[in-house]
Amino acid sequence: MGEPTPSRSNPTSVNVCILLGMGVFLACICFVSLGWAQIAKAGPPATKLYVESQQAMGTVFTIYLYAGNDEQAGALFGSAFEEIERLDQTLSNYKADSELSRINRLAGHEAVTTDPEMFSLLQTCLEYSKRSGGTFDITVGPLMRACGFFRGQGRYPAPWQLDRARGKVGWQKVQLDASARTIHFAVEGMELDLGGIGKGYAVDRVIGQLRAAGVKAAMVDAGSSTIYALGAPPGKDGWLVRVPKPGNRSQTISTVVLRDESLSTSGSYEKFFRLNGRTYCHIMDPRTGEPVEGMLQATVIAADGTTTEALSKPMFVMGTEEGAKYLARFPYVSGLWVTGEIRAPRVVPWNWPGCEGDCGETLADIGERKAKAQ
Amino acid sequence: MSEMDRRTFVGNAAGALAGALLVAGCKESTKNLVPGGPQVRLGVIGAGSRGQELMRTFLRVPGVRFAGLCDVYEPRFAAAREITREETPIFRDYRELLAAKEVDAVVVATPLSFHAEHVIAALESGRHVYGEKSMAKTVEECDRIVETVQRTGKHYQVGVQYHYATWYRETLRHIREGKLGQITQIYAYWHRNSNWRRPVPDPHDAKLERLINWRMYKEYSLGLMAELGSHHIAFANEIFGGMPESVVGSGGIDYWKDGRETYDNVQVTYRYPGGKTLCFSAITSNAHEGAQIRVYGTEGTAVLTEADGVLFYEAKKLKASAVTKVLIDHGIVTGASYMPEMPYRGKGEAVPVPEDVEGNANYLACESFVKSVIGGQRPEANEQVGRAEAVAVALGNQAIEEGKRIWFRDFVREGVGA
């Protein structure tokens, strides 16, 4: 355990491939050097590990970085958290004065002009929706609310309620005009929620800053669901990230070594409910409005945080077989599912670098077993 | 000028300003800007942190494009182009930007000491200007900007964006309707717990340190008074109807002894005509108070933050009531007297904000400027608002430095913008 698999060993080419694949990403990922760039290039060698946390985007962001002294670390943290706060202030759907809230209030009535960064991020979202067959969908808010998941009520809505909510949901109803940089909702009452991508985007922006500042080793953790590891701690191959057993964070399924790549996890084990003898989780399939059944956790590794965060929920919703086919469409991606019941979870890896002990059946194993049975 | 004349003048000027503000406030709102409508090509002089934030915000207003970026620090061009996501023309000298035909209006977000030079040159070149606060560093520079605006007929809007915030407008309406009684005091805080520095790529490069951390150096900056106080002072001016008449203050470099020249904490008390007071405090070693304005009236209090406003009403005075016979027959009980005078800890009422006004304070300010450029109407946060704010900042800072009361009549020239 410890060596990154060959398929993930070339982060530069990963970036290039994803860029070519997604096109619209270019501007998001290619972070240009800011005025304070090169901070870590001057001064003493970066041998001390610093850590700082701050609340943002409904979770806690933690940044670990190697710097030469307190002053340098303080300057890096200061700029990084300022950027996270800026993005929270822009992308939040809770803050009434965010740019996203302005779009949500107006776009049902008129075409709303927004800035290039926001526009580009929305383009990226729709691209993911299209590619994922709608399992990634930033318009799903009204349906989520109808299902009572927002307040964790665990109540199941009446069919007419679902139908009404479905009318206000659907990425195809978001109209983007690149020449005018406008967003327009085809129907009133729609709203966008960037909760499935915003943290990853913020992680990428911060990583871009740290890289431009000359930082050689850092890790940015957005509430443990999206993590990016920049370089490696001195003398190490990379940063260790443990994938826990669902429902028990002290037990580890897999420990991976991340280096210049990101990992995201979607999980539902903390918020599931039982109804008529079946277990439902709070993650919903945007295509049907039904809660996902029988899935506990999905983890994905890819080149950047925007990608991993945008892939993790579709992976969860699609399940192992459809999900693996989806992941296969992206270069240099690894996935790990945990399915079944919390008491008897089943681990299903796909192109995964390694697990503690037994990684469980791979998809290939499952296929083989099924073939033999027939 | 005799003592009496001076007093009369300051009073009149304040009255005239209040009138101008009222007129501006009543002006009918212009038609909403829509995509595909008129285009406005902006040039930005000073594409640092604030300049970049303004660029992002302006780009949310329909019809806006950036046609020129000017800065003296090379890495900012790439950062600013990352915001426009196009190859926006760059200029290393602001005169070259002003010579570019493609620029319709100019945003000035340079260090304070350069505001007057850049704003005046932009106005003289025939452009409307959105200028960052504080309007200018000295009283004389403020006067020159006002004179230039009047001579050129071009618009100037000062970057006190809370002037456009819905909860500020609504609070002001409550105040003018007398809901808070007579406003006698405003206590305004901007308290932070940070060194207020920006990271410098090479801390040993003194020139770069001064360029990036210009707010720390007296040559460029009036420190916390200008960078934070100007917002609160502008609002107090609006409530009290003009400039203060005197100011006392104190301040020092007491916690962050890191080579800075501007104070790391300031406390000033402005007196306005008619016995009204603004106390402003900015500190950098405790963030408990955050940024807030407390407007105290005889009937109630308004607390305004960067995101909302809350109204509190004073407890009703007890009314006289009939006394029962028991009291006469049994008397009252004597003992040690103690009644703590506690601060009010009840809930307030949120300042209601109109639902049809969309966007945060920055957006509304930027949108309003673009409307002025297209429609030709005078900005609400215009050069008079800027002058009143900037003069108070400059004289407040002077009061701290000289350690004595400064009378505005001794420095404020007659007839400017009259």
Side-chain angles (χ1 to χ4, degrees), chain B residues 227-255:
Chain B
E227 298 309 314
L228 301 183
S230 52
H231 288 295
H232 291 353
I233 292 167
F235 191 55
N237 287 348
E238 209 176 353
I239 291 172
F240 292 148
M243 265 185 225
E245 58 184 12
S246 74
V247 57
V248 292
S250 79
I253 303 167
D254 301 314
Y255 184 78

Side-chain angles (χ1 to χ4, degrees), chain B residues 34-331:
Chain B
V34 290
Q39 301 282 306
V40 172
R41 296 164 302 178
L42 297 176
V44 61
I45 305 176
S49 168
R50 183 61 190 160
Q52 289 175 28
E53 192 51 34
L54 282 173
M55 287 176 66
R56 280 193 196 92
T57 311
F58 269 118
L59 284 168
R60 292 168 189 158
V61 181
V64 170
R65 253 187 97 169
F66 277 85
L69 307 166
C70 175
D71 209 287
V72 294
Y73 185 44
E74 204 67 19
R76 292 206 177 117
F77 293 128
R81 278 177 167 180
E82 209 257 344
I83 291 166
T84 63
R85 306 233 165 150
E86 55 186 8
E87 295 296 295
T88 312
I90 59 172
F91 302 92
R92 289 170 181 84
D93 185 322
Y94 73 90
R95 284 162 290 218
E96 289 168 21
L97 180 137
L98 295 178
K101 286 192 194 72
E102 295 74 26
V103 174
D104 300 318
V106 172
V107 177
V108 175
T110 47
L112 179 58
S113 60
F114 298 105
H115 283 182
E117 180 184 346
H118 296 155
V119 167
I120 289 169
L123 290 166
E124 297 281 9
S125 79
R127 269 58 167 252
H128 301 302
V129 175
Y130 184 98
E132 255 314 314
K133 51 84 209 168
S134 185
M135 182 161 95
K137 195 166 179 248
T138 68
V139 176
E140 182 269 332
E141 287 173 349
C142 291
D143 292 352
R144 278 200 286 128
I145 290 176
V146 171
E147 283 160 359
T148 311
V149 167
Q150 291 182 339
R151 183 163 40 76
T152 58
K154 293 295 154 190
H155 294 319
Y156 172 85
Q157 182 175 321
V158 66
V160 286
Q161 64 271 14
Y162 296 108
H163 185 98
Y164 296 88
T166 48
W167 60 101
Y168 272 64
R169 305 317 305 166
E170 208 50 25
T171 302
L172 207 57
R173 199 172 63 78
H174 274 73
I175 290 170
R176 287 183 176 153
E177 285 173 0
K179 300 255 173 72
L180 300 182
Q182 191 188 333
I183 308 299
T184 55
Q185 313 281 330
I186 299 173
Y187 281 40
Y189 304 90
W190 207 311
H191 287 188
R192 287 177 170 175
N193 196 345
S194 71
N195 67 3
W196 210 41
R197 284 188 164 278
R198 295 197 176 282
V200 180
D202 181 359
H204 306 294
D205 183 339
K207 209 177 150 201
L208 202 53
E209 154 67 14
R210 288 175 77 83
L211 188 147
I212 289 173
N213 278 314
W214 60 268
R215 296 183 300 186
M216 305 284 152
Y217 300 96
K218 287 184 176 180
E219 183 184 350
Y220 314 112
S221 173
L222 295 178
L224 297 165
M225 285 301 303
E227 298 309 314
L228 301 183
S230 52
H231 288 295
H232 291 353
I233 292 167
F235 191 55
N237 287 348
E238 209 176 353
I239 291 172
F240 292 148
M243 265 185 225
E245 58 184 12
S246 74
V247 57
V248 292
S250 79
I253 303 167
D254 301 314
Y255 184 78
W256 298 103
K257 299 177 184 187
D258 55 3
R260 71 184 60 200
E261 295 169 6
T262 56
Y263 307 121
D264 66 11
N265 74 102
V266 293
Q267 293 78 35
V268 282
T269 303
Y270 291 97
R271 297 276 299 171
Y272 286 76
K276 300 174 195 308
T277 302
L278 163 67
C279 296
F280 171 70
S281 167
I283 68 175
T284 49
S285 49
N286 177 294
H288 182 78
E289 302 295 342
Q292 55 168 315
I293 303 182
R294 297 174 164 269
V295 182
Y296 298 120
T298 51
E299 307 287 323
T301 303
V303 179
L304 293 160
T305 72
E306 286 179 288
D308 59 12
V310 183
L311 302 172
F312 302 88
Y313 293 99
E314 290 289 283
K316 293 267 183 296
K317 292 206 170 63
L318 292 176
K319 283 183 188 142
S321 61
V323 175
T324 63
K325 193 171 174 290
V326 180
L327 177 87
I328 303 305
D329 293 345
H330 296 272

Side-chain angles (χ1 to χ4, degrees), chain A residues 286-310:
Chain A
R287 297 170 297 187
T288 61
E290 304 279 337
V292 176
E293 281 185 77
M295 181 61 68
L296 295 170
Q297 184 172 285
T299 302
V300 57
I301 299 173
D304 59 81
T306 310
T307 304
T308 56
E309 198 180 358

